[in-house]
Amino acid sequence: MKGALSRASTLLATTLSLATALLSFEPPQNQPTQQVAIIGAGAAGSSAAYYLREYAKQHELLGISVNITLFEKTDRIGGRTLTINAYDDPSQPIELGASIFIEKNHILYGALQKFNLSKRIPDEDSDPKLGIWDGDEFVFTVNERDSFWWTALKVIYKYGFLAPRRTQKLMESTINNFLKLYEQPNFPFRSLTQRAYELGLIDVTGVTGEQLLKANTIDDLYAHDIIQASTRVNYASNLVRIHGLDTMVSMAPEGAMAIQGGNWQIFQKMAEASGATIALNTSVASIGFSSETNHYSGNKKYLVRTKSAASESTKGEDYPVAFDNVIIANPYQFSKISADEGVIQHAIDEVPYVQLHVTIFASPYQYSPAFFGLTDSKDVPGGVLTTLAKSDGPTSGVNGAGKAGFFSITTLRTTTNPETQKREFIYKIFSPEEVAPEFLSRLFGAEVPDSFTANPDEPDSVSPITWYHPHVFYSYPQALPRVTFQDPIIGPGLFYTSGMDSFISTMETNALMGKNVAALLIDDILKATKGCGVNKELHEETLLDQIESDEGTPEPEIKDL
């Protein structure tokens, strides 16, 4: 008993001494603040800024501090998360860009909680009837208000029990392997290719979705109808034109959620919490070397030239700060940034991106059953996903859209037109090309003018379309099979995030790469400080020496301060 009390007393003394030493510890003085430029304030850039600040705070005792400048060419934060207002009414927000995330998206879900944002269930008021149409007929329909068992029986009756079960197991196994990227020792990663290989993920990125499903003996009909409809609505791709990892991601939206008022708020909050200087409407024209050098590494600092987003100039003006580190957080091929010779030391892949037309509009009309070859409007689902027709090849139609001609049409909700106070429906279409008035005329069985809304030549005319908003996104890469991926370090102190897009393109994965480059950047600073006599081990040693001299107690093991 006496021995136990003695050990407890010693442990208490050690703890108190450590606390005293920590309180009296003076961080290194005159350590220069690291200047960091982040180009792009979407999911990756905002996440990089947020986690850079968080990691720097964790190492304040070592004198590590960062000053972040976030450049964004548009007037908003959020990138491909974009919210618009139906009828230009702020009380009716609609997600135009990235719409949903799930609880397993640790970064987004964590931000929702940390920043006390309000969660909503996406399209909670939408039409519960969902159908998969191949351009000739509905191959499968379901009512989301039906019981789970009734829906399950419908699936089993048409596709059997094994296909859904095997798909679920394959999806869970694949996603669980991916989630290991968040954990030590896999995080942070300097090579996405190496991590994908170590986690066995190139086994699913190196084959098409069709090949992956066949290898796992998943029924062709279930793959064609259900899984391909999911890859088309998520990635505008048929199973022969998308790799296996994105195929499995398309099947994992269970428990989907969104942020009340718009998902962009996650990234707005991250950017604000980072304490960054935020330069909106500011394009980066070029990146070059400065005459100054980084205090820690001895590498040349970077000179960034910026211009107004509205400027026609290609040269820009020198930003008045020389940057120790630069993070390019948008697809380089679309950025119009030029780099001086020697700046980018590891070439950036140029990959083909999908050009996706997203069209949102309001109408008092519902779909015409004749458009779908039906006779009764009650048989027409409010949500329509598509797959290829029996007569289609894998690349039929515009960008593989096939006979259907579009990827999805969704009745988002019923609403009230603020001008007429009449009941209307809000619709959203994903398509490979611009939606034409002729298409909408057939869809609703009523003539839609070339102007879509009321004909300006006939002021008293009434159009089936009362409000209309088209948008074009380069939304994600064409996720063709591949086993190598762009690594995040492209030069000394120069980082790139969009290599993640060819691996998995989601809000969460872009935020993950932002977090990853933030960790790599801080890690590089910590390693470089060793050459300057400022390193973690020395500070731990100083604290332990202080404890030992004060109390004469054994040195405890300290893994982290």
Side-chain angles (χ1 to χ4, degrees), residues 376-439:
D376 192 336
S377 60
K378 293 180 181 178
D379 295 331
V380 183
V384 180
L385 309 185
T386 64
T387 189
L388 294 171
K390 293 176 183 176
S391 59
D392 284 330
T395 58
S396 294
V398 178
N399 293 338
K403 194 171 183 179
F406 61 93
F407 300 117
S408 67
I409 299 177
T410 308
T411 308
L412 295 180
R413 61 175 179 256
T414 304
T415 189
T416 300
N417 186 319
E419 290 188 8
T420 65
Q421 295 301 305
K422 292 184 178 180
R423 177 175 175 265
E424 293 187 352
F425 303 94
I426 303 292
Y427 296 100
K428 186 177 190 178
I429 300 179
F430 289 162
S431 60
E433 58 185 350
E434 184 179 357
V435 171
E438 181 273 334
F439 170 82

Side-chain angles (χ1 to χ4, degrees), residues 147 337 412:
S147 71
I337 298 172
L412 295 180

Side-chain angles (χ1 to χ4, degrees), residues 474-521:
Y474 286 98
S475 45
Y476 24 69
Q478 294 176 7
L480 298 172
R482 58 185 297 167
V483 295
T484 60
F485 301 93
Q486 176 77 53
D487 288 334
I489 302 174
I490 56 175
L494 184 63
F495 301 86
Y496 185 62
T497 65
S498 292
M500 177 61 81
D501 266 354
S502 294
F503 185 65
I504 303 178
S505 182
T506 64
M507 288 186 287
E508 172 72 10
T509 50
N510 278 275
L512 173 62
M513 186 57 94
K515 180 178 181 179
N516 183 67
V517 298
L520 293 178
L521 194 158

Side-chain angles (χ1 to χ4, degrees), residues 37-216:
I38 301 176
I39 304 170
S46 300
S47 174
Y50 173 73
Y51 283 104
L52 193 56
R53 178 67 63 197
E54 291 297 298
Y55 292 143
K57 285 179 183 176
Q58 291 175 17
H59 296 91
E60 282 179 328
L61 282 177
L62 305 186
I64 303 299
S65 64
V66 293
N67 187 57
I68 306 165
T69 305
L70 189 56
F71 297 103
E72 170 53 48
K73 67 180 179 181
T74 71
D75 61 355
R76 62 182 182 81
I77 288 172
R80 284 171 278 181
T81 55
L82 175 58
T83 306
I84 61 170
N85 299 318
Y87 310 102
D88 301 319
D89 178 1
S91 69
Q92 300 198 51
I94 298 172
E95 293 291 358
L96 183 64
S99 300
I100 61 171
F101 59 96
I102 60 177
E103 192 168 331
K104 284 187 177 181
N105 294 156
H106 300 316
I107 295 174
L108 302 188
Y109 188 70
L112 179 154
Q113 296 176 309
K114 180 176 179 61
F115 298 124
N116 295 316
L117 297 170
S118 298
K119 180 178 72 173
R120 69 176 180 85
I121 304 303
D123 308 328
E124 196 169 23
D125 300 324
S126 65
D127 190 308
K129 296 189 293 295
L130 179 69
I132 298 172
W133 190 58
D134 68 2
D136 289 323
E137 62 179 342
F138 282 100
V139 298
F140 188 74
T141 58
V142 65
N143 190 321
E144 294 178 348
R145 290 179 185 161
D146 288 341
S147 71
F148 167 80
W149 293 111
W150 176 246
T151 301
L153 284 173
K154 286 189 70 174
V155 172
I156 292 170
Y157 178 77
K158 180 161 188 177
Y159 302 108
F161 172 77
L162 292 178
R165 179 60 181 154
R166 286 171 179 167
T167 301
Q168 181 72 13
K169 289 180 68 175
L170 179 59
M171 181 273 291
E172 290 175 351
S173 172
T174 304
I175 297 303
N176 286 338
N177 276 346
F178 162 73
L179 291 175
K180 293 175 183 177
L181 273 179
Y182 291 76
E183 306 166 357
Q184 291 183 341
N186 302 311
F187 182 91
F189 47 90
R190 292 180 178 269
S191 171
L192 181 55
T193 299
Q194 180 181 342
R195 284 292 186 267
Y197 174 78
E198 291 168 348
L199 295 174
L201 291 169
I202 62 170
D203 295 339
V204 287
T205 64
V207 295
T208 66
E210 183 180 65
Q211 291 169 330
L212 178 67
L213 298 173
K214 282 184 179 296
N216 286 272

Side-chain angles (χ1 to χ4, degrees), residues 132 223-237 242 246-247 250-251 253 385-386:
I132 298 172
H224 174 273
D225 291 357
I226 304 299
I227 302 178
Q228 186 160 258
S230 297
T231 61
R232 285 164 66 93
V233 71
N234 281 283
Y235 290 110
S237 298
I242 186 172
D246 271 352
T247 300
S250 298
M251 296 300 293
L385 309 185
T386 64

